[in-house]
Amino acid sequence: MLRLAFQSGTLVISGLAELPPCLTGLAQLDPRSGIFRARACDYAAVVMALRAANIPFHDAARNYRKLDDLTWRTEITPHPHQQQALSAWINHDCRGITALPTGAGKTILAMLAIFHVRRSTLILVPTIDLLTQWCGVIERSFGITPGMLGGGAHEIREITVSTYDSALLNIEFIGDRFAFLIADECHHLPSPENRLGAAMAIAPFRLGLSATPELNAEYTAVMDDLLGGIVCEIDITELAGKILSPYQVKKIPVELSGEEFARYAQNRTVYTAFLRRWGINFARPSGWADFLIATARFPGGKEAFQAFLTQRRIARAGKAKLDAITTILTRHAGESTIIFTADNDAAYEIGRKFALPVITHHTKAAERKAFLDHFRTGTYPVLVTSKVLNEGVDVPAAAVGIVVSGSGSVREHVQRLGRILRPAAGKPQAVLYELVSINTSEESTSSRRREHRAYRYKI
């Protein structure tokens, strides 16, 4: 009889002399061992193909179990948008991606999905902060202690939370133990390393969660393959004023001083001349890599790279931006405010000038927790951060955001907007300020990152 088995992150198909036609494209002969293999993630497709062809088989691959004793410790009544997303996912055979805005309850949606499937579950997250956050939600929801992989923990349980990195190290040994795979912040999944964690698991049920799942064509194809396509997408504008706070986005143009602009123009001339000389075009996907290679290989490359950094730093952190921050903080005195920068140096400079706490990737976990706790209670009404709070951290509700600088990424800008949309008592609306140095490259950067319908919302 044909036999299925899990072996080192693959699905082994034995007990047959040749591959049945129904498995063409799913499995192939492994010349090293003389047996047929399929990707572990194609387990469900293999099983359904064999059943459809009425081919009997022994399933030794599945090592997960039903969680019939799973009960609610605190029963959840889903909001309409959460029920909409859950129903869409169930109607797509419990596979696919749900795109909900930050603050819309993606973790709660996952708890509802776990309770619906009631089978062993592996949850993948990108950061240690999210690892502990998810474990807390599981304990509060079901009254059980989940397993943990990451941050020094290595304990496998029927519901286990793992960082993407730790899953990659362990999945070839445990990929048969889970029926349900949840990928949080699933836009991280398609990277060449992270995708292996999903490909080497047999889990037939899969759920991707992201506020910003938009990716390039290659990465979108990987997500469609490993998780299923987007089955439900709910925009910020649909929930603003209901589940999320109503909000305004205000673009504040600021002008470089005469001295700053002269230095900016001088350095930008050096930088752009180098681009033209060597035919570097940032409109091409390889543009940035081409620039780095050229600066290492060609005459004037070191000077051009330094000029690039200098002109960017001047545009991102002119004195007028510090003046604008003063005006905004005065206008919103006492309101919970997050100041976002593109780099650590700018964050620390603002922190020093205004005597504010700063969170970067250098901030120790205990100190970061203390800062966030003080921000939650109002002891610290203002936090400064670089990119570390964009995602992957449970940030308390804020009313005001100030984007001092950032990349042209739509995802980054939408994530920053999402950080101020959690509703809170006494918060009539949220305001996101974007400071843009006029007559610099920041104007085009701003235009690129505002190409999202969230920025067309009006109260």
Side-chain angles (χ1 to χ4, degrees), residues 105-116:
K106 293 187 292 294
T107 310
I108 297 302
L109 170 63
M111 297 303 107
L112 296 165
I114 291 172
F115 191 76
H116 175 80

Side-chain angles (χ1 to χ4, degrees), residues 75-87 100 103-106 108-109 112 232 234 239 242-244 423:
E75 189 165 358
I76 297 170
T77 300
H79 291 290
H81 71 280
Q82 292 169 328
Q83 185 60 57
Q84 175 187 342
L86 179 67
S87 298
L100 302 182
K106 293 187 292 294
I108 297 302
L109 170 63
L112 296 165
C232 181
I234 297 175
L239 301 181
K242 302 171 187 174
I243 301 300
L244 303 177

Side-chain angles (χ1 to χ4, degrees), residues 25 59 101 211 221 231 243 317 414:
D59 188 353
V231 297
I243 301 300
V414 172

Side-chain angles (χ1 to χ4, degrees), residues 56-90:
F57 63 94
H58 171 63
D59 188 353
R62 184 174 65 185
N63 193 27
Y64 53 77
R65 73 178 188 89
K66 292 183 178 181
L67 304 182
D68 292 327
D69 55 347
L70 187 69
T71 57
W72 291 111
R73 178 183 183 182
T74 304
E75 189 165 358
I76 297 170
T77 300
H79 291 290
H81 71 280
Q82 292 169 328
Q83 185 60 57
Q84 175 187 342
L86 179 67
S87 298
W89 177 74
I90 292 171

